[in-house]
Amino acid sequence: MDFTDKVVIVTGAGRGIGFAYAKSFALAGAQVVIAEYDEQTAAQASEKIKALGKKAIAIKCDVSSETDVNQTVSAVIKEFGKVDVLVNNAQRVPDIRPAEETTPEDMKMAWSTGAFGTYLFTHACLPHMKAKKFGRIINVASMSGVVGDPGTSAYGSNKEAIRGYTRQIANEYGEYNITCNVICPDAMTESAKDFFLPLVKY
C-alpha cells in the first residue's frame, strides 16, 4: 500500500511490534510520528527509520496523560497540518497473577495505558480527522482478552474494553469517512515472550 504524504501516529512505537508498525508505514511512504513514553527509545527508533531514508519524528508522550496526549497531537497538527492514521498500540502490562491476587495498581496500569490511552488519543485526533473528512484508526487488542487467558484479568479485560470502544467509534464516525478497526496480533516479540511465557504454568 502507498502511504505517501500520509501522517501516521503510532503510540508505543519505540520497540517491539509498535516499532514494526511504524517502520512498515514509513517504508510505505508515510511521515511517521513515534509517540513513546521512553524518550531515548523513541529517539533511537526514529533514527533507525531515518537511516532507511524514510521520515520519522519522535515525541515523548505518556498516553495516560491527557496533557501529554493533547500536546502531542497539537504538535503534529502544527508541524504537518493533519493526522491521517492513528495506531493505538501503547500498553503497559502488569504481572501475570490470578484474579484474586490482582491489585488495584495492576488494573490502573493496564487500563490507564491501554483503554484510557486509546480513548485519549482517539478523542484528540477525531476533530482533526472529521474536519478533513478522512481518518483511519487502528486499535490494538489481544487474544488474551478474547479467550480469557488465566492470570491476565487486568490486561485482558482492558483489551476487551478497547474492542468495545472500537465498535462505538466505527459506528459513530463512518459517515465522516473515518474508519476504526481493531487487531489482535499474535506476534512473538521479545516483549511478548516476557508476557506470555509465565502463562505456561496455567
Side-chain angles (χ1 to χ4, degrees):
M1 296 182 69
D2 185 6
F3 283 88
T4 302
D5 297 328
K6 299 298 185 187
V7 178
V8 180
I9 298 175
V10 184
T11 70
R15 59 180 181 143
I17 196 170
F19 175 69
Y21 296 148
K23 180 180 175 181
S24 295
F25 277 111
L27 290 174
Q31 166 63 62
V32 172
V33 179
I34 296 171
E36 166 67 45
Y37 180 77
D38 186 320
E39 190 171 14
Q40 182 176 358
T41 301
Q44 290 172 345
S46 176
E47 289 305 313
K48 287 178 183 177
I49 290 174
K50 288 191 283 189
L52 299 173
K54 303 302 178 181
K55 297 175 286 186
I57 64 169
I59 300 179
K60 176 176 168 46
C61 178
D62 176 356
V63 299
S64 68
S65 164
E66 182 178 5
T67 298
D68 273 20
V69 171
N70 288 339
Q71 288 179 346
T72 296
V73 174
S74 293
V76 172
I77 295 300
K78 182 177 180 180
E79 180 72 19
F80 304 111
K82 61 176 182 173
V83 176
D84 295 300
V85 181
L86 168 66
V87 182
N88 284 308
N89 168 74
Q91 176 73 67
R92 290 186 66 196
V93 182
D95 291 339
I96 302 296
R97 61 177 112 239
E100 65 191 280
E101 297 176 14
T102 298
T103 67
E105 288 70 28
D106 290 335
M107 297 298 286
K108 289 175 184 177
M109 177 192 293
W111 283 72
S112 66
T113 58
F116 190 59
T118 294
Y119 154 74
L120 286 177
F121 255 102
T122 302
H123 184 261
C125 289
L126 277 173
H128 303 289
M129 292 178 169
K130 186 176 177 181
K132 295 287 187 181
K133 294 286 195 296
F134 183 87
R136 300 291 181 262
I137 301 171
I138 304 167
N139 296 330
V140 180
S142 172
M143 289 305 295
S144 287
V146 175
V147 303
D149 280 332
T152 67
S153 60
Y155 175 79
S157 61
N158 147 75
K159 287 300 192 181
E160 284 297 273
I162 291 174
R163 290 212 304 150
Y165 183 66
T166 299
R167 285 191 294 271
Q168 294 293 138
I169 300 303
N171 286 332
E172 288 186 36
Y173 288 88
E175 64 181 291
Y176 303 107
N177 194 28
I178 298 171
T179 65
C180 187
N181 291 282
V182 64
I183 59 175
C184 297
D186 194 20
M188 194 52 67
T189 62
E190 290 303 314
S191 297
K193 288 178 183 177
D194 292 340
F195 175 69
F196 285 110
L197 287 180
L199 290 175
V200 173
K201 72 177 183 178
Y202 290 96

